[in-house]
Amino acid sequence: MKYKQLVEIYDKLEATTKRLEKVEIISDFLKKIKKDELKEIIYMIEGRIFPEWDKRKIGFSNRLMIKALSVGCGENTKKIEELFRKKGDLGLVAEEIIARRKQSILSSRDLDSSKVLENIRKLAEFEGKGAVDRKIRLITELLSNANGREAKYLVKTVLENLRIGVSSGVIRDSIAKAFELNVNEIENVADLSGDYGEVAELASEKKLEGVALKAGKPVKCMLALLASSIEECFEALGEKVQFENKIDGFRLQCHFDGNKIKLFTRRMENVTEQFPDVAGFLRKHVKGENYILDGEAVGYDKKSGKYLPFQTISQRIKRKYNINEIAEKFPIELDLFDVIYYNKKNLMDASLEERRKLLEKIVKEKKKEVVLTEKIVTDDKKKAQEYFNKILKEGFEGVMAKNLESRYKPGRYVGGWMKLKSILEPLDLVIVKAEYGEGKRAGWLTSYTVACNDNGRLLEIGKVSTGVKEKTEGLTYKEMTKLLKPLIESQKGKEVEVKPKIIIEVGYEEIQNSPTYSSGLALRFPKVLRLREDKPVSEISTLNLAKKIYNSQKGKNSN
Ligand code: AMP
């Protein structure tokens, strides 16, 4: 298909905010597409180049794009940067300079959408020496054959920032409408597949059953919503709730097809080769002709037996050589909490209670090899709170709370499971740098680098943008920009340095070690809670306090 046909659809989708109109536009389009092109066209409308479960990144920065535009269009980088500051979107910048250039050139070849996809996919592959030049060449090749509008969407796709308002819900409804199928059916199949491209292909042939649950083929994992209290867990999950300890390892979906064991991460990456030890445990301690089990793999210290935080074993996931050596050095225990397929039966529609019962029957527990997650079932809030406190004292991250009747719903945050973590004391930090946003937010300072106090020195500890909104209620970008603009001391690209005057209270999930910031620490999932206009800079949180909190969360777990 010609890329310009797709660009027409992008234009139409961008021009309307109405969901139903978007569904109409996409479904009409899908009906006309050849079968063998459906998959890639779906990806491109979603603004991606790989299926959702494939987490390869294009990894093309704004800076590199400025360079590519400069090389490809013979425009000087200063000019491009200036346009970028004005428009806040490199797609729009590309559109303008290419439209201007094209007036002076008579003809270029028509771009093909599969050629666009092919070149962008290659970007994710190049690494190491010479990669930057090769990447730039791939983009300039496309740009040289693109007109202004094509360049706009091309650049936005490469920057993984298409923003034409197409959610997965819109894609789901469009596929259902185009091929006259039931929306729920499409959604269920998409949860199993993790790939709307594949679903569209099968839907067009009315072969949705092609995506059946099968041992050996990964499915998306069930996810948990964040709760902020025990009460909230009961409110959301019912009178009787199952609480489990939340283990800080990594998700492992374990498949046995009667012959081979296969192991997949939460992102559906096949990591079987990296974990021969885990495969051995499963063969030894789980009975069944075939199965899919869900669990968490967690590292432990060989000497003390204490569980270790995830970071210590994360290197095992990527390791491709000397596997046995590293397995010996960083041993792992598998903590199972679910079974979703057993002896050729799909158990996703069985209740948690039934699934857990079966799990207890088929797994013979052995510490430091395979165990089941610890659990209590209670309708008593006080007991639940005591359990939560006990779990935190033992050094775990928190608890998982699960509805006993819930079915296994892969892939989305739909309730049924919640996670409740320890609530860490917020920090009062001063803003030392800020960054202008993109697109609609181009005129606002939307992200803030914050610092703590170390005997009078200000040391950076993180960058926060969550918690401030575009709308009027709560703290807004407009308000923050008004406060920060008069304090600007210098500007580099989109980042400004500001006089340290504005103090904000910042919440977060965890403090981590980090070489990125001068404090040596970084806040994980930081969120602006409020302005602290009542505090002078001399009274902001100290590095010592941050270190104390960091130490208090470190692996005290014992098994
Ligand atoms: P989070 O990564 O903070 O969103 O928390 C959810 C993750 O906790 C899951 O994806 C699992 O990897 C992990 N986890 C640890 N213990 C459990 C458990 N008992 N039940 C379910 N998930 C768990």
Side-chain angles (χ1 to χ4, degrees), residues 230-466:
I230 291 284
E231 281 79 35
E232 195 187 339
C233 295
F234 278 99
E235 260 162 44
L237 301 172
E239 273 174 31
K240 232 180 182 182
V241 175
Q242 174 162 312
F243 291 91
E244 301 174 14
N245 57 344
K246 183 173 187 310
I247 297 143
D248 183 21
F250 60 93
R251 193 88 175 246
L252 213 50
Q253 198 176 76
C254 311
H255 293 237
F256 177 56
D257 65 4
N259 176 24
K260 281 194 188 126
I261 300 260
K262 280 191 193 162
L263 305 169
F264 298 95
T265 65
R266 168 180 173 156
R267 296 169 164 189
M268 302 207 226
E269 288 147 338
N270 187 334
V271 289
T272 314
E273 284 194 6
Q274 286 90 314
F275 298 99
D277 42 350
V278 175
F281 301 155
L282 287 163
R283 285 191 191 275
K284 227 168 33 182
H285 304 301
V286 182
K287 61 176 185 201
E289 286 161 28
N290 43 59
Y291 54 74
I292 305 176
L293 308 180
D294 196 358
E296 187 89 350
V298 57
Y300 61 88
D301 184 272
K302 274 211 304 201
K303 278 203 197 113
S304 64
K306 285 180 181 175
Y307 285 143
L308 295 170
F310 166 67
Q311 287 93 316
T312 48
I313 49 158
S314 62
Q315 49 182 308
R316 283 203 57 185
I317 302 176
K318 289 181 212 115
R319 189 68 164 234
K320 299 263 151 63
Y321 52 93
N322 291 352
I323 304 272
N324 289 333
E325 196 179 291
I326 197 173
E328 176 76 15
K329 198 159 156 205
F330 298 107
I332 272 174
E333 175 185 270
L334 180 64
D335 287 41
L336 294 169
F337 47 77
D338 223 315
V339 47
I340 52 185
Y341 180 88
Y342 192 71
N343 286 356
K344 292 211 167 143
K345 233 171 107 183
N346 179 347
L347 299 173
M348 285 194 174
D349 284 326
S351 68
L352 170 71
E353 202 170 9
E354 289 170 85
R355 299 197 310 270
R356 175 81 190 201
K357 247 190 216 145
L358 175 65
L359 193 64
E360 285 167 10
K361 240 171 61 188
I362 62 177
V363 178
K364 204 162 122 262
E365 291 186 76
K366 170 118 196 279
K367 277 200 170 172
K368 299 288 183 286
E369 295 194 358
V370 180
V371 296
L372 303 191
T373 47
E374 182 187 310
K375 64 147 208 209
I376 64 158
V377 176
T378 183
D379 57 1
D380 184 339
K381 285 184 195 154
K382 223 174 111 212
K383 278 209 178 111
Q385 187 67 49
E386 281 166 13
Y387 180 70
F388 179 50
N389 296 343
K390 171 189 106 97
I391 287 290
L392 291 184
K393 240 202 200 133
E394 288 172 6
F396 288 101
E397 256 194 307
V399 291
M400 301 291 296
K402 300 180 180 177
N403 176 339
L404 284 175
E405 267 125 54
S406 60
R407 59 176 292 247
Y408 193 98
K409 194 91 182 81
R412 266 165 306 119
Y413 295 94
V414 282
W417 288 11
M418 299 194 99
K419 56 189 175 191
L420 179 61
K421 298 191 185 181
S422 64
I423 292 127
L424 296 169
E425 179 182 347
L427 297 175
D428 295 324
L429 302 166
V430 67
I431 299 178
V432 290
K433 283 182 201 153
E435 210 176 291
Y436 283 103
E438 293 194 354
K440 274 194 302 190
R441 302 175 179 175
W444 289 330
L445 291 163
T446 55
S447 116
Y448 320 101
T449 303
V450 286
C452 60
N453 181 7
D454 182 33
N455 294 320
R457 278 191 316 154
L458 294 178
L459 299 181
E460 292 176 10
I461 189 166
K463 200 170 181 180
V464 51
S465 50
T466 314

Side-chain angles (χ1 to χ4, degrees), residues 125-138:
E125 287 164 19
F126 292 149
E127 266 175 47
K129 232 176 121 210
V132 168
D133 287 341
R134 290 165 82 186
K135 285 182 178 190
I136 287 184
R137 225 172 299 136
L138 285 169

